[in-house]
Amino acid sequence: MDLDWLKDVLALAEQKSFSRAAEVRNVTQPAFSRRIRALEDWIGVPLFLRSAQGATLTPAGAHFQPLAQDLLRNLQQLQRETRAVGESEKGALSIAATHALSFTFFPGWIRRHMRFEALGTLNLISDSLEACEQIMLGGEVHFLLCHHHAQVPTRFEAERFPSIRVGDDVLVPLCAPDADGQPLWPLPGTIERPARLLAYSQASGLGRILSAQMALAQDAALAQDTALARDAAGMTTVFTSHLAAALLTMARDGHGIAWLPLTLAEEDLARARLVRAGLGRFDIPIEIRLFRSPDCRNEAADELWASLQAE
């Protein structure tokens, strides 16, 4: 049996949709479906009822789900304890970070705060926020570095997972320029020529922030019949990805507008490969926040946390 099968079952039980669960697990839906079927074949009974409305647990699946959670938790604990035996006295430092921050913010930030010669090993795991959250909840890393907005809840209880703001960023709507240097897809769009939105998928933390802010703005606008309601009506989604870098490339090639973190897009803005699609009212200020695991600790993690708290 493949350990990923357990993670797949738990994701499907939570999402109740093969497509959403496959997105969370970062695999194609056909591959995800084959893995679920392989586990059911291994057990010998169906675990899910499939219908047009989604997937629900069978009685056998409902029996299997908590056992799978316990088994996965125990295996992850075994992995942590075994790894700890093999680490140096100070220990390795493991950090999960979202893709966008891994390539832009993380290298300079960690260099300012840690002495590499004092570390055993620095292990960076780069993935979508959804995947990083699963890794963090499983106790596999010391820290999680991600973008954060106060109005968008995380999966971490504040009393169990302390966090510190380590930087600031802003989501800016950007698109390619036309021949005159003006935005190719200006905001707000119109019903006749809607702005083409390059959107984040559900697995993306930036997508959660953007969706929440758009929903709040649209609700307020609809209630007041303001210009923001007309802005929302003049936009259509044409592409989706959990990778900000993929959206940046699509925007640079003229396919639409992407709300990109300034830390990622500032070079493209400076070189005029991208321009602002709209005025500053479309910007979304966000934080860069470091969450600490309550389950995965060592001397290197304590040293970094103490350094950040001292600041």
PDB file of all heavy atoms in Angstrom, residues 97-111:
ATOM      1  N   ALA A  97       7.411  26.573   2.645  1.00  0.00           N
ATOM      2  CA  ALA A  97       7.133  27.926   2.143  1.00  0.00           C
ATOM      3  C   ALA A  97       6.365  27.821   0.841  1.00  0.00           C
ATOM      4  O   ALA A  97       6.577  26.892   0.053  1.00  0.00           O
ATOM      5  CB  ALA A  97       8.424  28.715   1.934  1.00  0.00           C
ATOM      6  N   THR A  98       5.467  28.752   0.619  1.00  0.00           N
ATOM      7  CA  THR A  98       4.729  28.771  -0.636  1.00  0.00           C
ATOM      8  C   THR A  98       5.678  29.096  -1.785  1.00  0.00           C
ATOM      9  O   THR A  98       6.733  29.714  -1.590  1.00  0.00           O
ATOM     10  CB  THR A  98       3.589  29.801  -0.579  1.00  0.00           C
ATOM     11  OG1 THR A  98       4.110  31.067  -0.174  1.00  0.00           O
ATOM     12  CG2 THR A  98       2.521  29.359   0.424  1.00  0.00           C
ATOM     13  N   HIS A  99       5.294  28.664  -2.990  1.00  0.00           N
ATOM     14  CA  HIS A  99       6.176  28.803  -4.148  1.00  0.00           C
ATOM     15  C   HIS A  99       6.685  30.234  -4.330  1.00  0.00           C
ATOM     16  O   HIS A  99       7.879  30.460  -4.523  1.00  0.00           O
ATOM     17  CB  HIS A  99       5.432  28.369  -5.420  1.00  0.00           C
ATOM     18  CG  HIS A  99       5.243  26.888  -5.530  1.00  0.00           C
ATOM     19  ND1 HIS A  99       6.294  26.023  -5.663  1.00  0.00           N
ATOM     20  CD2 HIS A  99       4.110  26.128  -5.546  1.00  0.00           C
ATOM     21  CE1 HIS A  99       5.836  24.783  -5.752  1.00  0.00           C
ATOM     22  NE2 HIS A  99       4.524  24.821  -5.682  1.00  0.00           N
ATOM     23  N   ALA A 100       5.763  31.200  -4.287  1.00  0.00           N
ATOM     24  CA  ALA A 100       6.152  32.584  -4.585  1.00  0.00           C
ATOM     25  C   ALA A 100       7.200  33.094  -3.613  1.00  0.00           C
ATOM     26  O   ALA A 100       8.177  33.748  -4.009  1.00  0.00           O
ATOM     27  CB  ALA A 100       4.917  33.486  -4.550  1.00  0.00           C
ATOM     28  N   LEU A 101       7.059  32.786  -2.319  1.00  0.00           N
ATOM     29  CA  LEU A 101       8.006  33.266  -1.324  1.00  0.00           C
ATOM     30  C   LEU A 101       9.321  32.494  -1.365  1.00  0.00           C
ATOM     31  O   LEU A 101      10.375  33.026  -1.016  1.00  0.00           O
ATOM     32  CB  LEU A 101       7.385  33.191   0.070  1.00  0.00           C
ATOM     33  CG  LEU A 101       6.231  34.163   0.314  1.00  0.00           C
ATOM     34  CD1 LEU A 101       5.606  33.919   1.679  1.00  0.00           C
ATOM     35  CD2 LEU A 101       6.704  35.610   0.196  1.00  0.00           C
ATOM     36  N   SER A 102       9.269  31.238  -1.796  1.00  0.00           N
ATOM     37  CA  SER A 102      10.488  30.437  -1.877  1.00  0.00           C
ATOM     38  C   SER A 102      11.500  31.049  -2.827  1.00  0.00           C
ATOM     39  O   SER A 102      12.709  31.013  -2.582  1.00  0.00           O
ATOM     40  CB  SER A 102      10.153  29.012  -2.342  1.00  0.00           C
ATOM     41  OG  SER A 102       9.318  28.363  -1.420  1.00  0.00           O
ATOM     42  N   PHE A 103      11.004  31.621  -3.929  1.00  0.00           N
ATOM     43  CA  PHE A 103      11.897  32.138  -4.963  1.00  0.00           C
ATOM     44  C   PHE A 103      12.292  33.597  -4.749  1.00  0.00           C
ATOM     45  O   PHE A 103      13.303  34.052  -5.282  1.00  0.00           O
ATOM     46  CB  PHE A 103      11.247  31.995  -6.336  1.00  0.00           C
ATOM     47  CG  PHE A 103      11.009  30.568  -6.727  1.00  0.00           C
ATOM     48  CD1 PHE A 103       9.724  30.095  -6.928  1.00  0.00           C
ATOM     49  CD2 PHE A 103      12.061  29.681  -6.891  1.00  0.00           C
ATOM     50  CE1 PHE A 103       9.496  28.779  -7.293  1.00  0.00           C
ATOM     51  CE2 PHE A 103      11.846  28.365  -7.249  1.00  0.00           C
ATOM     52  CZ  PHE A 103      10.558  27.913  -7.442  1.00  0.00           C
ATOM     53  N   THR A 104      11.500  34.319  -3.977  1.00  0.00           N
ATOM     54  CA  THR A 104      11.742  35.761  -3.862  1.00  0.00           C
ATOM     55  C   THR A 104      12.172  36.157  -2.462  1.00  0.00           C
ATOM     56  O   THR A 104      13.295  36.586  -2.233  1.00  0.00           O
ATOM     57  CB  THR A 104      10.470  36.541  -4.250  1.00  0.00           C
ATOM     58  OG1 THR A 104       9.362  36.108  -3.415  1.00  0.00           O
ATOM     59  CG2 THR A 104      10.108  36.290  -5.712  1.00  0.00           C
ATOM     60  N   PHE A 105      11.306  36.006  -1.500  1.00  0.00           N
ATOM     61  CA  PHE A 105      11.531  36.528  -0.155  1.00  0.00           C
ATOM     62  C   PHE A 105      12.469  35.659   0.678  1.00  0.00           C
ATOM     63  O   PHE A 105      13.334  36.168   1.399  1.00  0.00           O
ATOM     64  CB  PHE A 105      10.179  36.661   0.553  1.00  0.00           C
ATOM     65  CG  PHE A 105      10.259  37.171   1.969  1.00  0.00           C
ATOM     66  CD1 PHE A 105      10.383  38.531   2.216  1.00  0.00           C
ATOM     67  CD2 PHE A 105      10.209  36.304   3.044  1.00  0.00           C
ATOM     68  CE1 PHE A 105      10.462  39.007   3.519  1.00  0.00           C
ATOM     69  CE2 PHE A 105      10.288  36.762   4.345  1.00  0.00           C
ATOM     70  CZ  PHE A 105      10.403  38.116   4.580  1.00  0.00           C
ATOM     71  N   PHE A 106      12.308  34.341   0.602  1.00  0.00           N
ATOM     72  CA  PHE A 106      12.997  33.437   1.523  1.00  0.00           C
ATOM     73  C   PHE A 106      14.526  33.552   1.516  1.00  0.00           C
ATOM     74  O   PHE A 106      15.133  33.638   2.595  1.00  0.00           O
ATOM     75  CB  PHE A 106      12.585  31.987   1.259  1.00  0.00           C
ATOM     76  CG  PHE A 106      13.314  30.988   2.105  1.00  0.00           C
ATOM     77  CD1 PHE A 106      12.922  30.747   3.409  1.00  0.00           C
ATOM     78  CD2 PHE A 106      14.408  30.296   1.607  1.00  0.00           C
ATOM     79  CE1 PHE A 106      13.603  29.841   4.209  1.00  0.00           C
ATOM     80  CE2 PHE A 106      15.095  29.384   2.395  1.00  0.00           C
ATOM     81  CZ  PHE A 106      14.692  29.162   3.698  1.00  0.00           C
ATOM     82  N   PRO A 107      15.208  33.526   0.369  1.00  0.00           N
ATOM     83  CA  PRO A 107      16.681  33.491   0.406  1.00  0.00           C
ATOM     84  C   PRO A 107      17.305  34.640   1.185  1.00  0.00           C
ATOM     85  O   PRO A 107      18.181  34.424   2.034  1.00  0.00           O
ATOM     86  CB  PRO A 107      17.065  33.537  -1.083  1.00  0.00           C
ATOM     87  CG  PRO A 107      15.887  32.943  -1.787  1.00  0.00           C
ATOM     88  CD  PRO A 107      14.695  33.428  -1.021  1.00  0.00           C
ATOM     89  N   GLY A 108      16.872  35.861   0.910  1.00  0.00           N
ATOM     90  CA  GLY A 108      17.433  37.006   1.618  1.00  0.00           C
ATOM     91  C   GLY A 108      17.033  37.037   3.080  1.00  0.00           C
ATOM     92  O   GLY A 108      17.832  37.401   3.954  1.00  0.00           O
ATOM     93  N   TRP A 109      15.793  36.646   3.365  1.00  0.00           N
ATOM     94  CA  TRP A 109      15.290  36.671   4.738  1.00  0.00           C
ATOM     95  C   TRP A 109      16.042  35.687   5.631  1.00  0.00           C
ATOM     96  O   TRP A 109      16.486  36.045   6.718  1.00  0.00           O
ATOM     97  CB  TRP A 109      13.797  36.353   4.727  1.00  0.00           C
ATOM     98  CG  TRP A 109      13.226  36.164   6.102  1.00  0.00           C
ATOM     99  CD1 TRP A 109      12.902  37.137   7.002  1.00  0.00           C
ATOM    100  CD2 TRP A 109      12.934  34.906   6.727  1.00  0.00           C
ATOM    101  NE1 TRP A 109      12.429  36.569   8.154  1.00  0.00           N
ATOM    102  CE2 TRP A 109      12.421  35.204   8.014  1.00  0.00           C
ATOM    103  CE3 TRP A 109      13.038  33.583   6.320  1.00  0.00           C
ATOM    104  CZ2 TRP A 109      12.032  34.198   8.899  1.00  0.00           C
ATOM    105  CZ3 TRP A 109      12.638  32.585   7.194  1.00  0.00           C
ATOM    106  CH2 TRP A 109      12.150  32.898   8.468  1.00  0.00           C
ATOM    107  N   ILE A 110      16.212  34.454   5.188  1.00  0.00           N
ATOM    108  CA  ILE A 110      16.885  33.455   6.025  1.00  0.00           C
ATOM    109  C   ILE A 110      18.359  33.800   6.189  1.00  0.00           C
ATOM    110  O   ILE A 110      18.958  33.541   7.243  1.00  0.00           O
ATOM    111  CB  ILE A 110      16.702  32.020   5.447  1.00  0.00           C
ATOM    112  CG1 ILE A 110      17.070  30.960   6.487  1.00  0.00           C
ATOM    113  CG2 ILE A 110      17.517  31.831   4.180  1.00  0.00           C
ATOM    114  CD1 ILE A 110      16.156  30.924   7.682  1.00  0.00           C
ATOM    115  N   ARG A 111      18.968  34.410   5.180  1.00  0.00           N
ATOM    116  CA  ARG A 111      20.378  34.805   5.281  1.00  0.00           C
ATOM    117  C   ARG A 111      20.571  35.870   6.368  1.00  0.00           C
ATOM    118  O   ARG A 111      21.590  35.899   7.052  1.00  0.00           O
ATOM    119  CB  ARG A 111      20.877  35.320   3.933  1.00  0.00           C
ATOM    120  CG  ARG A 111      22.367  35.597   3.894  1.00  0.00           C
ATOM    121  CD  ARG A 111      22.859  35.885   2.491  1.00  0.00           C
ATOM    122  NE  ARG A 111      22.166  37.005   1.880  1.00  0.00           N
ATOM    123  CZ  ARG A 111      21.321  36.900   0.847  1.00  0.00           C
ATOM    124  NH1 ARG A 111      21.065  35.720   0.308  1.00  0.00           N
ATOM    125  NH2 ARG A 111      20.737  37.969   0.345  1.00  0.00           N
TER     126      ARG A 111
END
